[in-house]
Amino acid sequence: MTRPSRQRPAPEPPVTAARPTAADRPETTMRPVRVHGGRADHTAREERPGRWRMLCGALPVHPDDFTRTLCGIPCTGCARALADTADPAGAALRSHSSAVQRREDTGQPPLPRSEPRPPGVPGPAQRELTDSLQLYRRLALDPSWRHPTFADLVLEHGRWYPPAPWPAEQGWTHTPGRCFEAAHTWADRAGWTYVEGYALVHGTWPVAAIEHAWCLTGTGAVADPALPDGFATAYCGVPLTDAFRRARPDGRDAVLTVGSNLTLGPNTAVLRTGLPPHALAGPP
């Protein structure tokens, strides 16, 4: 007697959970915050209940940080992250433009189907530094002055300079944190032009645009005795004549801005009345 064969039931297809769309996700909570010891106001995003992190990715945020008073200086990194979130297509374009510029600067072949940036068109680094100076411009010491802030003076009189390697024939050990003193030293030693303004340095916290001083060689190239080669991606500053920079009061290393001695403050005489005609150096 033959037993009837048993047929196993066909396995049911696995149930695949539908991927949640943007409309299904809960709205992300964001709040302004100033962390302990911070010199800028960040935007914090709640990653999960009770866990917050800055949009710029610098540090996690403790709940006690929300009790601190805001200082009024926005973090440019958080501002860029917010702009990228609101405009993802623009963020992708800026990222592509940055990659194109890096390849141009290092002599690598261009990306497929990308065109080189035409001369005179500002690159991503210059646009980022300009945006930072526009933020600093609002922190006015006195709105009635000719230049309410140092950033306002630089935006009006400053010139743009691409980074350049330190001259090989000049032996020197870079001295980060002593840019004003080092720039004066080399302006006197090599006969270079002293420049005071801002440099864009990624990796600095809380902002990438820092007050800085450097020199221009006889050919007009940047010679930065403080920052090692490759640290700064853009410079914007005011080239000063030797007579004007040497007339600074005793005890000041910076000519226009605060400098290393924070108790002296910026050059309020220049900010109040404007840069004298004999102060601005001509092109080398």
Side-chain angles (χ1 to χ4, degrees), residues 83-100:
D84 291 347
T85 302
D87 182 18
L93 179 60
R94 287 189 292 273
S95 176
H96 177 77
S97 301
S98 300
V100 170

Side-chain angles (χ1 to χ4, degrees), residues 33-34 61-68:
V33 64
R34 182 185 182 189
V61 178
H62 192 273
D64 292 343
D65 293 331
F66 292 107
T67 63
R68 294 187 177 88

